[in-house]
């Protein structure tokens, strides 16, 4: 047996070392390692524990290569060739790669694979940041444990990419500290960028040769220069400040830190250019990115290549032609490379066509070379659930520059939170600037909430289809802004409310209204803090409404703006501009006083209207028409006031509705996600259980009518035919008896009442003459009461008579259907 | 109907009654008071109710030009008349009268509802003008012919018909007939027409309807084709190249020329004529196409000019509105301030300040207008130059083509002359070719007559060509001049209007201020 087994001591050593690491994250991994080691023999498939003859041969070749390599290049660091796997067996790295095709569409592209790997695993730091690790676990156990070193990260990602037919390689090399330690705190959060990005859609104006010359803007050159000087003076200071605070100590181990990442070569899956993927973040980089400082070797599942190019100045000038023996030294000489495979497939396709023409087959006699054996890693499965709850433990925290990003799996948080981005004012992340939260599956349709700590505002965004058609809700202590979807009946799209003011914007209304601005009376609010009236009853001071042009009306009849000055009892109307005119027509009405108890209503006179009519040729309207206009305006004023009150109420409703929803957050479970489906199923089961319990309770509650009779018979389990018939008869007879008794009772009551009434009437007849008014009244009351009672009794009796036979029949039927009696009765 | 005997004497519609009715129908006391005090203008009244008044004759309604709704039901009217000036009428109720014939509705083009219930009409007719009719109430009349209802098919918007109580409604097929022939109908005889009836009806009258639809479709297509043709001719006219896309010009050259026809019988001339026609038509088509292209170019030039002109004006309007809005806000504040002053001296100072501000406003608005005028003047000048260039080049091209036409004619003339001379000689030699007809021989005996005929023909041809050329060129020039003048006039008018508006507004403001003093 040439299988090289690492001693337990060494295993312990590794555990000890990880424990020594400052990083807290090391601890679980170590436990896991021990666990795996203990149960390795039971859990792992045989290929994990034992090397096959092919593998042994391969290991020998590799060892030979390593010896030669260290002899030829003594100054270079040792390569990562045959690390130990989780069962303590030496395995060649190329064989740890197993192309893993998956059915999930998410893993079909490199972006999907990369983000999955980056999200799914958490990083274990290398034992020593400058040496290649001695361990490389298989991807299957990595997937189970959800913890990995950067080499295992790259191995898993490379396996997935090879499964998706990318020409991918693991790269062992050197990178900057931030990349090795997954320290993103120098980078801007990518989520922030999307926020800032605004759609810069420049209106492309057609160049018209008749465009009028724009006016020259007169401005002083001197002033602009002065301003520029000032700005220039201020700028360097600021920059200096920024730089100072952001500078970090230089990395002592720069260029020595070992890292492993993935190289994707062009040529397959319509990849045009070679690029790197950092498996820890899932980001792609150009091959000349300055985060990567050097490459020792690259490998895929077919071969292993050692870099022979000089990369002391970074990876910018590297050439990735792996066939070139001057630049890349392969471990397996003349083994098939991926490139050859691709070419071969193309050739085969061509030769298929060719073979029809020329029948003589010229098989190339290839020299027998050693082929890479099959990977020892067993088939890895990535379940849908893994894809959904991609983070280890369902959540992950990433620190960016001045920002912290937290991610949670769906349904993990009871309020549906999936992402939270906290931004800070300073680099040390002590003072919170904004908190952005993304939600999913919430019943109140909340999708995003943003809390700005600076101006103390909260912004909430909703998906369509919730109450009030609310899409957007932003509020501070004083101001409240809401936006609505277009489904509203009143076409309201936006409402801004601040103390003493309210603005509503409309879109697409039939009456062409597009903005309504309300000013409330402030003085009242301050002078008498009468809370009984409520904020609703605050008198309106001014309402301004603006309208779009309605083309079906002439311009000087089409209202552009109306101002209701409620406090001054005035209404001002401005009409639309006529073509080519500068000045609109205007009218101002003073409302005549309404009639009060003391005074008659004030008469409307022509001098209550003043205005400017722009077209001198038009005849000014007479008083009657003006009065008609005023009446309509006053009617409109009432409706407007009514609508404003409605709006105010709605504002309060929205607030209270949101409070209620926030107090009791409900999630809906979509059956399209595994977690959702599981939750939905358990919820349904619970409901079913409750329903069943209810049912049982109801059944028990229903009284067994036969019970007393059965007791009389001695509670026999089975009834004889005779007994059954007897029972049936008895039961019916008893019921009949009871019905008769009931009828008798009502009859008795009726008779009694009648008698009483008669007696009383006789008494009245006698004493009628010498009775006080009060007594007479009493008598009247008594009589009416009694007649009512008699009437009721009579009615009840009649009803009883009507229903009794029916009830009797129903009971008969029921008894006949009873499972205990039915077999005997039918026969 | 019951109380007709009790009613007083039939009354005449006169101004007094109309005035009374129009005042009475006002709903508010205030309005009635104002109407009484100031009098009422018939021209402004929108609706008039004159029911239950024993009116015998419709009269005195000529002043109600803006009337939209007229109720004349339950009267004694026998003839529809006197409605000719009520062009804005949309609602006319003449039910419960004694009308026997539909007439006098010729000018009510906006009418939507016509109620003729309970009259004695037996034919639906004379309603061609009521294109917008939507409701037609005709219950309890004497309509007997079902086919007569088809007259109503021409009203595309009609969706309510009421024919109950007419003799024809006793016909068992009556409902289906109407449902089938009026697919847009929703209400029939006070009832909603249900889908079931409609389907049944369409099955019942399937063939008739198909045929009718086919005919209507054909008529529609014919009309569309005609319209298309008319539009095309209009386009050609606008491009000044009408009738040039064929041999029309050529044919008109040889029209009314009896001598030419005999000449054509001379051997050799016919083929010559053919080539001549071919070349002429080619030239005409060339000119025609150039004309259309030029027309398009002119149109684009026009539209780009107008769009930028409107843009400039709107821009200016916006600026003016801003200035105005700002001024007005300040002005109202100042006025409010003024009203609190009691000291006359202080008041005077303030008022003068206000006046200054008004002057300022006037100045800035005027400056804006002057600026706009100069801008527009510039672009109009530019446009004038450009359009003149376009027109000139078109004119030159056209002239060139017409010159070619003339050359062709000259050429043709020479050849004809040659042939004529040759033929003359051969005739003179008495060795004519076999296939010459008698009258040609006759003609060619007289040398002078032949040469005259040829020369006159030539002159005529040239005349036709020159006429066409002159027509084209004068029309193009006239169009251009009219266009530029129109634009300039409009601009001048706009400018004057604006200036007068500004002055009037400023005067208005000053008046307001004076009132305060």
């Amino acid at each position: 047996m040439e299988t090289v087994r690492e001693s337990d001591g060494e295993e312990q050593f590794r555990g000890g070392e990880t424990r020594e690491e400052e990083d807290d994250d090391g601890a679980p991994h170590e436990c896991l390692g021990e666990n795996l080691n203990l149960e390795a023999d039971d859990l792992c498939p045989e290929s994990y524990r034992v090397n096959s003859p092919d593998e042994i041969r391969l290991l020998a070749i590799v060892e030979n290569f390593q010896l030669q390599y260290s002899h030829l290049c003594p100054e270079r660091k040792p390569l990562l060739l045959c690390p130990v796997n989780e069962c303590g067996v030496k395995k060649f790295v190329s064989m740890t790669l197993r192309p893993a095709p998956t059915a999930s569409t998410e893993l079909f592209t490199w972006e999907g694979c990369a983000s999955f790997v980056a999200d799914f695993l958490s990083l274990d730091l290398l034992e020593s940041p400058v040496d290649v690790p001695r361990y490389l676990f298989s991807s299957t156990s990595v997937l189970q444990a959800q913890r990995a070193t950067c080499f295992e990260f790259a191995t898993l990602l490379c396996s997935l990419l090879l499964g998706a037919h990318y020409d991918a390689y693991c790269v062992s090399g050197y990178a900057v500290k931030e990349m090795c330690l997954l320290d993103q705190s120098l980078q801007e959060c990518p989520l922030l960028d999307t926020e800032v990005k605004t759609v810069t859609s420049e209106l492309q104006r057609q160049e018209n040769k008749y465009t009028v010359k724009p006016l020259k803007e007169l401005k002083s050159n001197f002033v602009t220069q002065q301003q520029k000087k000032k700005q220039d003076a201020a700028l360097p200071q600021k920059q200096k400040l920024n730089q100072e605070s952001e500078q970090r100590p230089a990395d002592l181990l720069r260029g020595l830190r070992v890292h492993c990442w993935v190289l994707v070569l062009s040529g397959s899956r319509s990849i045009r250019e070679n690029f790197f993927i950092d498996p820890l973040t899932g980001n792609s980089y150009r091959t000349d990115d300055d985060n990567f400082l050097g490459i020792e070797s690259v490998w895929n599942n077919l071969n292993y290549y050692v870099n022979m190019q000089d990369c002391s100045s970074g990876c910018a000038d590297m050439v990735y032609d792996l066939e070139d023996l001057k630049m890349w030294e392969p471990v397996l000489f003349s083994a098939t490379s991926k490139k050859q495979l691709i070419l071969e497939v193309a050739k085969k396709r061509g030769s298929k066509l060719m073979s029809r023409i020329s029948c003589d087959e010229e098989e190339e006699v290839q020299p027998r070379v050693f082929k890479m054996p099959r990977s020892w890693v067993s088939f890895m499965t990535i379940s849908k659930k893994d894809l959904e709850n991609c983070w280890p433990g369902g959540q992950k925290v990433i620190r960016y520059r001045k920002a912290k990003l937290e991610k949670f799996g769906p349904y993990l948080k009871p309020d549906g939170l999936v992402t939270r981005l906290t931004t800070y004012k300073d680099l040390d992340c002590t003072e919170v600037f904004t908190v952005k939260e993304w939600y999913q599956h919430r019943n109140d349709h909340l999708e995003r909430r943003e809390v700005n700590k600076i101006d103390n505002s909260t912004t909430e965004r909703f998906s369509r289809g919730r109450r009030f058609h609310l899409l957007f809700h932003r509020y501070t202590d004083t101001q409240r802004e809401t936006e609505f979807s277009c489904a509203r009946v009143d076409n309201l799209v936006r409402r801004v409310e601040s103390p003493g003011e309210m603005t509503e914007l409309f879109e697409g209304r039939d009456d062409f209204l597009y903005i309504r601005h309300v000013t409330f009376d402030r003085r009242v609010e301050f002078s008498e803090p009468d809370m009984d009236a409520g904020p609703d009853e605050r008198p309106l001071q001014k309402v301004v409404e603006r309208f779009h042009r309605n083309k079906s009306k002439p311009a000087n009849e089409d209202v552009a703006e109306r101002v209701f000055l409620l406090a001054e009892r005035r209404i001002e109307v401005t009409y639309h501009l006529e073509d080519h005119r500068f000045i609109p027509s205007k009218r101002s009405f003073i409302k005549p006083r309404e009639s009060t108890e003391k005074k008659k209503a004030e008469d409307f006179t022509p001098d209550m209207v003043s205005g400017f009519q722009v077209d001198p040729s038009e005849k000014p309207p007479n008083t009657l028409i003006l009065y008609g206009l005023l009446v309509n305006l006053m009617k409109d004023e009432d409706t407007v006031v009514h609508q404003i009150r409605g709006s105010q109420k709605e504002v309060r409703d929205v607030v209270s509705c949101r409070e209620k929803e926030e107090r009791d957050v409900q999630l809906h479970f979509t059956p399209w996600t595994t977690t959702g489906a599981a939750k939905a199923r358990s919820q349904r089961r619970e409901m079913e259980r409750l329903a069943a319990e209810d049912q049982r309770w109801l059944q028990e509650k229903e009284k067994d009518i036969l019970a007393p009779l059965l007791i009389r018979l001695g509670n026999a389990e089975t009834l004889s035919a005779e007994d059954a018939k007897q029972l049936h008869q008895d039961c019916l007879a008893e019921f009949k008896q009871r019905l008769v008794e009931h009828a008798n009772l009502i009859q008795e009551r009726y008779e009694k009442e009648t008698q009483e009434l008669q007696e009383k009437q006789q008494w009245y007849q006698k004493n009628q003459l010498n009775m006080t008014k009060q007594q007479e009244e009493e008598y009247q009351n008594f009589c009416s009461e009694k007649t009512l009672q008699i009437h009721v009794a009579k009615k009840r009796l009649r009803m009883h008579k009507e229903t009794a036979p029916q009830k009797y029949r129903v009971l008969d039927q029921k008894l006949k259907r009873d499972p205990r009696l039915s077999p005997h009765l039918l026969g | 109907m019951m109380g007709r005997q009790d009613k007083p004497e039939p009354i005449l519609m006169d101004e007094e009654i109309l005035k009374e009715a129009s005042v009475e129908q006002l709903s508010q006391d205030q309005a009635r008071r104002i109407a009484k005090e100031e009098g009422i203008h018939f021209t402004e009244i929108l609706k008039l109710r004159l029911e239950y008044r024993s009116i015998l004759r419709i009269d005195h309604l000529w002043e109600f030009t803006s009337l939209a709704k007229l109720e004349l039901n339950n009267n004694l009217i026998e003839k529809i008349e006197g409605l000719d000036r009520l062009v804005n009428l949309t609602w006319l109720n003449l039910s419960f009268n004694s009308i026997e014939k539909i007439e006098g509705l010729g000018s009510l083009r906006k009418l939507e509802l016509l109620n003729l219930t309970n009259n004695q009409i037996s034919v639906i007719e004379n309603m061609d003008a009521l294109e917008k009719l939507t409701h037609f109430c005709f219950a309890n009349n004497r309509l007997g012919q079902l086919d007569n209802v088809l007259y109503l098919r021409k009203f595309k918007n009609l969706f309510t018909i009421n024919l109950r109580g007419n003799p024809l409604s006793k016909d068992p097929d009556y409902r289906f007939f109407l449902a089938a022939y009026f697919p847009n109908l929703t209400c029939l005889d006070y009832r909603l027409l249900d889908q079931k009836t409609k389907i049944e009806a369409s099955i019942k009258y399937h063939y008739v309807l198909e045929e009718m639809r086919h005919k209507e479709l054909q008529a529609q297509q014919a009309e569309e084709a005609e319209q298309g043709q008319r539009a095309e001719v209009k386009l050609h006219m606008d491009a000044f190249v009408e009738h040039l896309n064929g041999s029309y010009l050529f044919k008109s050259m040889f029209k009314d020329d009896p001598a030419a026809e005999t000449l054509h019988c001379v051997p050799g001339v016919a083929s010559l004529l053919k080539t001549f026609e071919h070349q002429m038509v080619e030239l005409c088509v060339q000119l025609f196409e150039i004309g259309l292209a030029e027309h398009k170019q002119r149109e684009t030039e026009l539209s780009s000019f107008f769009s930028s002109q409107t843009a400039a004006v709107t821009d200016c309007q916006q600026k003016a509105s801003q200035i105005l809005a700002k001024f007005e806000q300040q002005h109202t504040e100042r006025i409010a301030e003024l009203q609190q002053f009691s000291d006359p001296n202080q008041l005077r100072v303030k008022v003068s300040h206000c006046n200054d501000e008004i002057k300022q406003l006037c100045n800035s608005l005027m400056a804006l207008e002057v600026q706009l005028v100069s801008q527009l003047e510039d672009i109009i000048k530019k446009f004038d130059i450009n359009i003149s260039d376009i027109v000139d080049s078109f004119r030159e091209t056209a002239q060139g083509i017409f010159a070619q036409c003339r050359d062709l004619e000259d050429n043709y003339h020479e050849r004809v002359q040659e042939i004529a001379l040759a033929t003359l000689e051969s005739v003179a030699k008495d060795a004519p070719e076999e296939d010459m007809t008698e009258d040609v021989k006759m003609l060619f005996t007289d040398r002078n007559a032949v040469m005259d005929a040829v020369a006159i023909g030539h002159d005529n041809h040239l005349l036709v060509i020159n006429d066409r050329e002159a027509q084209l060129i004068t029309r193009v020039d006239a169009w251009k001049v009219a266009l530029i003048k129109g634009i300039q006039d409009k601009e001048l008018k706009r400018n004057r209007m604006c200036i007068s508006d500004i002055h009037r507004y400023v005067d208005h403001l000053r008046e307001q201020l004076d009132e305060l003093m």
Side-chain angles (χ1 to χ4, degrees), chain B residues 16 21 43 62 90 120 219 261 265 346 395 410 441 481 486:
Chain B
E16 215 39 52
T43 46
W62 46 76
T90 58
Q120 279 113 46
E261 268 169 51
C265 303
Q346 234 174 343
R395 196 196 301 134
D410 286 343
K441 276 185 200 160
V481 170

mmCIF file of all heavy atoms in Angstrom, chain B residues 16 21 43 62 90 120 219 261 265 346 395 410 441 481 486:
data_model
loop_
_atom_site.group_PDB
_atom_site.id
_atom_site.type_symbol
_atom_site.label_atom_id
_atom_site.label_comp_id
_atom_site.label_asym_id
_atom_site.label_seq_id
_atom_site.Cartn_x
_atom_site.Cartn_y
_atom_site.Cartn_z
ATOM 1 N N GLU B 16 -93.365 88.412 -24.650
ATOM 2 C CA GLU B 16 -93.759 88.525 -23.250
ATOM 3 C C GLU B 16 -93.721 87.159 -22.579
ATOM 4 O O GLU B 16 -93.098 86.963 -21.537
ATOM 5 C CB GLU B 16 -95.200 89.109 -23.213
ATOM 6 C CG GLU B 16 -95.500 90.028 -22.072
ATOM 7 C CD GLU B 16 -94.367 90.960 -21.712
ATOM 8 O OE1 GLU B 16 -93.796 91.688 -22.574
ATOM 9 O OE2 GLU B 16 -94.015 90.927 -20.534
ATOM 10 N N ALA B 21 -91.227 83.076 -19.218
ATOM 11 C CA ALA B 21 -90.790 81.679 -19.064
ATOM 12 C C ALA B 21 -89.314 81.616 -18.727
ATOM 13 O O ALA B 21 -88.888 80.837 -17.867
ATOM 14 C CB ALA B 21 -91.068 80.917 -20.350
ATOM 15 N N THR B 43 -80.401 85.678 -26.255
ATOM 16 C CA THR B 43 -79.296 85.006 -26.934
ATOM 17 C C THR B 43 -78.450 84.163 -25.982
ATOM 18 O O THR B 43 -77.722 83.297 -26.411
ATOM 19 C CB THR B 43 -78.379 86.038 -27.592
ATOM 20 O OG1 THR B 43 -78.150 87.070 -26.641
ATOM 21 C CG2 THR B 43 -78.993 86.604 -28.839
ATOM 22 N N TRP B 62 -86.437 83.256 -32.743
ATOM 23 C CA TRP B 62 -85.220 83.522 -33.517
ATOM 24 C C TRP B 62 -84.075 84.130 -32.730
ATOM 25 O O TRP B 62 -82.941 84.062 -33.124
ATOM 26 C CB TRP B 62 -85.558 84.379 -34.745
ATOM 27 C CG TRP B 62 -86.459 85.549 -34.447
ATOM 28 C CD1 TRP B 62 -86.102 86.684 -33.855
ATOM 29 C CD2 TRP B 62 -87.851 85.631 -34.713
ATOM 30 N NE1 TRP B 62 -87.168 87.504 -33.722
ATOM 31 C CE2 TRP B 62 -88.281 86.888 -34.247
ATOM 32 C CE3 TRP B 62 -88.784 84.767 -35.305
ATOM 33 C CZ2 TRP B 62 -89.592 87.307 -34.341
ATOM 34 C CZ3 TRP B 62 -90.084 85.193 -35.411
ATOM 35 C CH2 TRP B 62 -90.493 86.445 -34.925
ATOM 36 N N THR B 90 -79.644 70.768 -28.858
ATOM 37 C CA THR B 90 -79.297 69.352 -28.768
ATOM 38 C C THR B 90 -80.483 68.532 -28.294
ATOM 39 O O THR B 90 -80.474 67.324 -28.381
ATOM 40 C CB THR B 90 -78.138 69.123 -27.787
ATOM 41 O OG1 THR B 90 -78.530 69.630 -26.522
ATOM 42 C CG2 THR B 90 -76.877 69.796 -28.234
ATOM 43 N N GLN B 120 -99.329 62.814 -34.564
ATOM 44 C CA GLN B 120 -100.061 62.066 -35.585
ATOM 45 C C GLN B 120 -99.221 61.920 -36.847
ATOM 46 O O GLN B 120 -99.693 62.134 -37.957
ATOM 47 C CB GLN B 120 -101.370 62.778 -35.904
ATOM 48 C CG GLN B 120 -102.469 62.496 -34.910
ATOM 49 C CD GLN B 120 -102.823 63.737 -34.118
ATOM 50 O OE1 GLN B 120 -102.984 64.804 -34.699
ATOM 51 N NE2 GLN B 120 -102.942 63.591 -32.824
ATOM 52 N N ALA B 219 -70.206 50.879 -51.119
ATOM 53 C CA ALA B 219 -70.405 52.332 -51.193
ATOM 54 C C ALA B 219 -69.293 53.045 -50.438
ATOM 55 O O ALA B 219 -68.721 54.031 -50.907
ATOM 56 C CB ALA B 219 -71.760 52.697 -50.609
ATOM 57 N N GLU B 261 -55.002 66.140 -87.857
ATOM 58 C CA GLU B 261 -55.435 64.761 -88.038
ATOM 59 C C GLU B 261 -55.197 64.289 -89.474
ATOM 60 O O GLU B 261 -54.726 63.184 -89.722
ATOM 61 C CB GLU B 261 -56.912 64.641 -87.690
ATOM 62 C CG GLU B 261 -57.111 64.258 -86.238
ATOM 63 C CD GLU B 261 -58.557 64.409 -85.818
ATOM 64 O OE1 GLU B 261 -59.428 63.878 -86.512
ATOM 65 O OE2 GLU B 261 -58.771 65.074 -84.781
ATOM 66 N N CYS B 265 -52.156 61.377 -91.291
ATOM 67 C CA CYS B 265 -52.351 60.241 -92.173
ATOM 68 C C CYS B 265 -51.231 60.134 -93.202
ATOM 69 O O CYS B 265 -51.087 59.124 -93.890
ATOM 70 C CB CYS B 265 -53.683 60.337 -92.910
ATOM 71 S SG CYS B 265 -55.040 60.466 -91.754
ATOM 72 N N GLN B 346 -48.252 109.597 3.410
ATOM 73 C CA GLN B 346 -47.631 108.284 3.314
ATOM 74 C C GLN B 346 -48.261 107.489 2.180
ATOM 75 O O GLN B 346 -47.572 106.821 1.397
ATOM 76 C CB GLN B 346 -47.870 107.546 4.631
ATOM 77 C CG GLN B 346 -46.577 107.057 5.232
ATOM 78 C CD GLN B 346 -46.826 106.470 6.604
ATOM 79 O OE1 GLN B 346 -47.872 106.707 7.209
ATOM 80 N NE2 GLN B 346 -45.869 105.748 7.083
ATOM 81 N N ARG B 395 -38.446 76.772 -60.161
ATOM 82 C CA ARG B 395 -38.875 77.498 -61.353
ATOM 83 C C ARG B 395 -37.883 77.264 -62.489
ATOM 84 O O ARG B 395 -38.274 76.985 -63.616
ATOM 85 C CB ARG B 395 -38.996 78.988 -61.029
ATOM 86 C CG ARG B 395 -39.786 79.744 -62.085
ATOM 87 C CD ARG B 395 -39.583 81.227 -62.000
ATOM 88 N NE ARG B 395 -39.953 81.804 -60.730
ATOM 89 C CZ ARG B 395 -39.204 82.687 -60.063
ATOM 90 N NH1 ARG B 395 -38.026 83.050 -60.532
ATOM 91 N NH2 ARG B 395 -39.613 83.172 -58.927
ATOM 92 N N ASP B 410 -40.116 71.920 -81.847
ATOM 93 C CA ASP B 410 -39.436 72.486 -83.014
ATOM 94 C C ASP B 410 -38.939 71.370 -83.924
ATOM 95 O O ASP B 410 -39.146 71.394 -85.134
ATOM 96 C CB ASP B 410 -38.256 73.353 -82.563
ATOM 97 C CG ASP B 410 -38.737 74.680 -81.986
ATOM 98 O OD1 ASP B 410 -39.914 75.028 -82.235
ATOM 99 O OD2 ASP B 410 -37.954 75.341 -81.264
ATOM 100 N N LYS B 441 -54.946 63.611 -100.192
ATOM 101 C CA LYS B 441 -54.547 64.012 -101.558
ATOM 102 C C LYS B 441 -55.091 65.394 -101.878
ATOM 103 O O LYS B 441 -54.394 66.252 -102.389
ATOM 104 C CB LYS B 441 -55.101 63.004 -102.566
ATOM 105 C CG LYS B 441 -54.216 61.783 -102.721
ATOM 106 C CD LYS B 441 -54.796 60.901 -103.829
ATOM 107 C CE LYS B 441 -54.260 59.495 -103.690
ATOM 108 N NZ LYS B 441 -55.112 58.528 -104.404
ATOM 109 N N VAL B 481 -45.354 84.488 -52.401
ATOM 110 C CA VAL B 481 -45.613 85.849 -51.929
ATOM 111 C C VAL B 481 -46.704 85.835 -50.866
ATOM 112 O O VAL B 481 -46.568 86.448 -49.798
ATOM 113 C CB VAL B 481 -46.009 86.753 -53.122
ATOM 114 C CG1 VAL B 481 -46.503 88.091 -52.614
ATOM 115 C CG2 VAL B 481 -44.814 86.937 -54.050
ATOM 116 N N GLY B 486 -48.497 86.459 -45.550
ATOM 117 C CA GLY B 486 -49.359 85.956 -44.470
ATOM 118 C C GLY B 486 -48.611 85.867 -43.170
ATOM 119 O O GLY B 486 -49.093 86.313 -42.114
#
